[in-house]
Amino acid sequence: MSILKKVILIDDDQVNNFVCESIIRNEKFAEEVISFQMAEDALSFLKDATKDGAVSFPDLIFLDINMPGMDGWSFIDEYRKLPVEATKNCCLFMLSSAVDRKDIVSAKNHEEVRDFFSKPLSPEILNFIKEEFIQV
């Protein structure tokens, strides 16, 4: 049995998304994993998920920082505009290859961001999230 119902990956790197999906599934971390290579597409999906009778809002989002078009910071600005009833139970994590200390500090200063993790996603990161952030 999976811990979460739905996890969303937002990263322009298709290979990274595939690897993350595989790890999440192998660890039985989520029943459903949905990947987006464009933050705009993910935002559109989330807006639709807030409508009555729509698909359920995800339990957890992994967000990259550096992406073409809308980057992670711009995504967070738009995410803040979503209804609080929808976002309050969703854990948002930055998952990035960014090594700039400024990005890590900035991520942790955004109240929506629960934590920052460096790529690649690993079973250890999922276990840490399960222990520290998920109410099972």
Side-chain angles (χ1 to χ4, degrees):
M1 178 175 213
S2 298
I3 297 164
L4 302 175
K5 289 186 188 218
K6 186 179 299 184
V7 170
I8 289 186
L9 304 167
I10 307 170
D11 193 320
D12 61 309
D13 183 338
Q14 190 174 13
V15 172
N16 181 68
N17 285 341
F18 177 79
V19 170
C20 289
E21 285 179 31
S22 297
I23 291 169
I24 291 167
R25 286 192 178 100
N26 287 341
E27 294 297 313
K28 295 182 176 43
F29 191 73
E31 292 173 19
E32 183 179 12
V33 185
I34 303 171
S35 299
F36 295 94
Q37 288 183 264
M38 302 287 292
E40 297 90 343
D41 294 340
L43 191 61
S44 177
F45 175 88
L46 294 174
K47 286 179 181 176
D48 287 345
T50 64
K51 296 178 182 165
D52 289 342
V55 296
S56 62
F57 206 81
D59 301 300
L60 188 145
I61 298 171
F62 285 113
L63 175 66
D64 189 19
I65 295 174
N66 299 312
M67 297 179 283
M70 179 183 282
D71 66 7
W73 308 123
S74 298
F75 175 88
I76 291 171
D77 290 341
E78 293 302 314
Y79 181 84
R80 287 181 176 144
K81 298 175 186 175
L82 295 172
V84 174
E85 318 72 71
T87 61
K88 70 180 178 184
N89 294 321
C90 180
C91 293
L92 175 63
F93 295 97
M94 296 300 249
L95 179 65
S96 181
S97 56
V99 289
D100 187 343
R101 184 86 184 125
K102 191 171 57 178
D103 283 337
I104 297 168
V105 170
S106 181
K108 291 185 177 187
N109 285 332
H110 282 79
E111 67 180 65
E112 298 81 8
V113 179
R114 300 286 180 96
D115 209 338
F116 179 99
F117 298 106
S118 294
K119 289 180 188 175
L121 183 65
S122 66
E124 291 77 21
I125 290 172
L126 295 180
N127 283 330
F128 177 79
I129 290 171
K130 182 173 66 173
E131 291 172 8
E132 297 294 321
F133 298 101
I134 306 296
Q135 315 286 312
V136 193

